[in-house]
Amino acid sequence: MKVSLIRYTPEPEKTVALAAKLCYSPVGVDELSDELSREQIEKLVRFVIKSGHHSTVEHISFTFAIEGVSRALTHQLVRHRIASYNQQSQRYVKLGDNFEYITPHSILDDRESKKKYDKLISDMHSLYIEFLDRGIEAEDARYILPNATETKIIVSMNGRELLHFFTLRCCNRAQWEIREMAIKMLKLVKKVAPVVFETAGPACLRGRCPEGKYICDEPPKASDFDV
Ligand SMILES: Cc1cc2nc3c(=O)[nH]c(=O)nc-3n(C[C@H](O)[C@H](O)[C@H](O)COP(=O)(O)OP(=O)(O)OC[C@H]3O[C@@H](n4cnc5c(N)ncnc54)[C@H](O)[C@@H]3O)c2cc1C
């Protein structure tokens, strides 16, 4: 799995702090911008995150390139509606020699299951190629491809949606692959906006776990999400 942060709002934390400060200030943005020290920026950002004044975090945006993940993962990812997506098409891209697939750890660790898994996927792929050779369009041949099929996607989310996304998808209840991706994303944004995301992650890092009877035995620690 490869996750890269390819673009983000310049000076993200100053942008959040400016938005917050503007709410309570009689002066214009230029003056505010000149006034703000790093210390004040951090204080303001901590205040808006803690107080739930999260509309200020909507002004910063982050774009990730994600490769080497399964269609099973992206099907879950695109359920997050406050985001923008572009994904490699199975209509326009024929998965010939460049066909790749993801294998879950549980199957990798069980030799017999792995053998059957590889065989089934190889058979499916052979049939896919046969369909293409018989003139069936890629958009129809793809119906037999598995959830395991490797895909690439670009996703942009604003800071508020990312905080929500990390709450759900960094939690131990999240499926392993999307959780692995979410943790990589969190570590990347922490490098460029450390204060905005310093308490980001599953809800249990900030208080009570909301999962009721599904509560996990070993909750994650804040250090699991450190850069
Ligand atoms: C552990 C786990 C298990 C899951 N299992 C299933 C499952 O079995 N079946 C299944 O179908 N899905 C499942 N999901 C997906 C889940 O139901 C959500 O679709 C997904 O997590 C997107 O999150 P969201 O709806 O909170 O917010 P997003 O789409 O990320 O939106 C963010 C927030 O914006 C607001 N919002 C967005 N759109 C609307 C709207 N139309 N109306 C009002 N408010 C809106 C809400 O406050 C929402 O929380 C699961 C998710 C997790 C994390």
Side-chain angles (χ1 to χ4, degrees), residues 6 14 25 29 55 78 97 99 104 107 114 125 186-187 189 191 207 209 221-222 227:
I6 56 171
K14 187 167 185 183
S25 174
V29 176
S55 59
V78 300
D97 293 340
F99 179 76
I107 296 176
K114 169 84 168 62
H125 185 239
L186 175 51
K187 289 183 175 184
V189 293
K191 284 188 188 159
C209 167
K221 300 177 290 296
V227 182

Coordinates of all heavy atoms in Angstrom, one line a residue, residues 6 14 25 29 55 78 97 99 104 107 114 125 186-187 189 191 207 209 221-222 227:
I6 N -0.2 14.5 -1.6 CA 0.4 15.1 -2.8 C 0.1 16.7 -2.8 O 0.9 17.4 -3.5 CB -0.1 14.5 -4.1 CG1 -1.6 14.5 -4.2 CG2 0.5 13.1 -4.2 CD1 -2.1 14.0 -5.6
K14 N -2.1 28.3 10.1 CA -2.4 29.7 10.1 C -3.7 30.0 9.5 O -4.4 30.9 10.0 CB -1.2 30.4 9.3 CG -1.3 31.9 9.5 CD -0.1 32.6 8.9 CE -0.2 34.1 9.2 NZ 1.0 34.8 8.7
S25 N -12.7 39.5 15.9 CA -11.9 40.6 15.7 C -12.5 41.8 14.9 O -13.2 41.5 13.9 CB -10.6 40.2 15.0 OG -9.8 41.3 14.8
V29 N -8.3 41.0 7.6 CA -7.5 39.8 7.5 C -6.0 40.1 7.4 O -5.2 39.4 8.1 CB -8.0 38.9 6.4 CG1 -7.1 37.7 6.2 CG2 -9.4 38.4 6.6
S55 N -15.9 24.3 12.1 CA -16.1 24.9 10.7 C -14.8 25.6 10.3 O -14.5 25.7 9.1 CB -17.3 25.9 10.7 OG -17.0 26.9 11.7
V78 N -15.2 5.4 -0.3 CA -16.1 6.3 -1.0 C -17.5 6.5 -0.3 O -18.3 7.3 -0.7 CB -16.3 6.0 -2.5 CG1 -14.9 6.0 -3.2 CG2 -17.0 4.7 -2.7
D97 N -1.6 -7.7 -18.4 CA -0.4 -8.1 -17.7 C -0.2 -7.3 -16.4 O 0.5 -7.7 -15.5 CB 0.8 -7.8 -18.6 CG 0.8 -8.7 -19.8 OD1 0.1 -9.8 -19.7 OD2 1.5 -8.4 -20.8
F99 N -2.3 -6.8 -14.1 CA -3.3 -7.2 -13.0 C -2.6 -7.5 -11.7 O -1.7 -8.3 -11.6 CB -4.1 -8.4 -13.5 CG -5.1 -8.8 -12.5 CD1 -6.3 -8.1 -12.3 CD2 -4.9 -9.9 -11.7 CE1 -7.2 -8.5 -11.3 CE2 -5.8 -10.3 -10.7 CZ -7.0 -9.6 -10.6
P104 N -5.2 -10.5 2.0 CA -5.3 -10.2 3.5 C -4.2 -11.1 4.3 O -3.9 -12.2 3.9 CB -6.7 -10.6 3.9 CG -7.5 -10.7 2.6 CD -6.5 -11.0 1.5
I107 N -5.1 -14.7 5.1 CA -4.9 -15.7 4.1 C -3.5 -15.9 3.8 O -3.0 -17.1 3.6 CB -5.7 -15.2 2.8 CG1 -7.2 -15.2 3.2 CG2 -5.5 -16.2 1.6 CD1 -8.1 -14.6 2.1
K114 N -4.0 -19.7 1.1 CA -3.3 -18.8 0.1 C -3.2 -19.5 -1.3 O -3.4 -18.9 -2.3 CB -1.9 -18.6 0.7 CG -0.9 -17.9 -0.3 CD -1.1 -16.4 -0.3 CE 0.0 -15.6 -1.0 NZ 0.3 -15.9 -2.3
H125 N -8.8 -14.2 -13.5 CA -8.0 -13.3 -14.4 C -7.9 -13.9 -15.8 O -8.1 -13.2 -16.8 CB -6.7 -13.0 -13.8 CG -6.0 -11.9 -14.7 ND1 -4.8 -12.1 -15.2 CD2 -6.4 -10.7 -15.0 CE1 -4.4 -11.1 -15.9 NE2 -5.4 -10.2 -15.8
L186 N -3.2 9.8 8.6 CA -3.1 10.6 9.8 C -1.6 11.0 10.1 O -1.3 12.1 10.4 CB -3.7 9.8 11.0 CG -3.5 10.5 12.4 CD1 -4.0 11.9 12.4 CD2 -4.3 9.7 13.4
K187 N -0.7 10.0 9.9 CA 0.7 10.3 10.1 C 1.2 11.4 9.2 O 2.0 12.2 9.5 CB 1.6 9.1 10.1 CG 1.3 8.2 11.3 CD 2.2 6.9 11.3 CE 1.9 6.2 12.6 NZ 2.8 5.0 12.8
V189 N -0.6 13.8 7.6 CA -1.1 15.2 7.9 C -0.6 15.7 9.2 O -0.5 16.9 9.4 CB -2.7 15.2 7.9 CG1 -3.2 15.0 6.5 CG2 -3.4 14.3 8.9
K191 N 2.4 15.6 10.0 CA 3.7 16.3 9.7 C 3.5 17.7 9.3 O 4.3 18.6 9.5 CB 4.4 15.5 8.6 CG 5.0 14.2 9.0 CD 5.8 13.7 7.9 CE 6.3 12.3 8.3 NZ 6.7 11.5 7.1
G207 N -11.8 10.3 25.0 CA -12.9 10.1 26.0 C -13.4 8.7 25.9 O -12.6 7.8 25.7
C209 N -15.2 5.3 24.8 CA -15.5 4.6 23.5 C -17.0 4.5 23.3 O -17.7 4.1 24.2 CB -14.9 3.2 23.6 SG -15.4 2.1 22.3
K221 N -3.2 3.2 21.6 CA -2.6 4.2 22.4 C -2.3 5.4 21.5 O -2.1 5.2 20.3 CB -1.3 3.7 23.0 CG -1.5 2.5 23.9 CD -0.1 2.0 24.4 CE 0.8 1.4 23.4 NZ 0.3 0.2 22.8
A222 N -2.3 6.6 22.1 CA -2.0 7.8 21.3 C -0.7 7.6 20.5 O -0.5 8.1 19.3 CB -1.9 9.0 22.2
V227 N 4.0 10.3 14.6 CA 4.8 10.3 13.3 C 6.1 9.6 13.5 O 6.8 9.9 14.5 CB 5.0 11.8 12.9 CG1 5.8 11.8 11.5 CG2 3.7 12.5 12.7

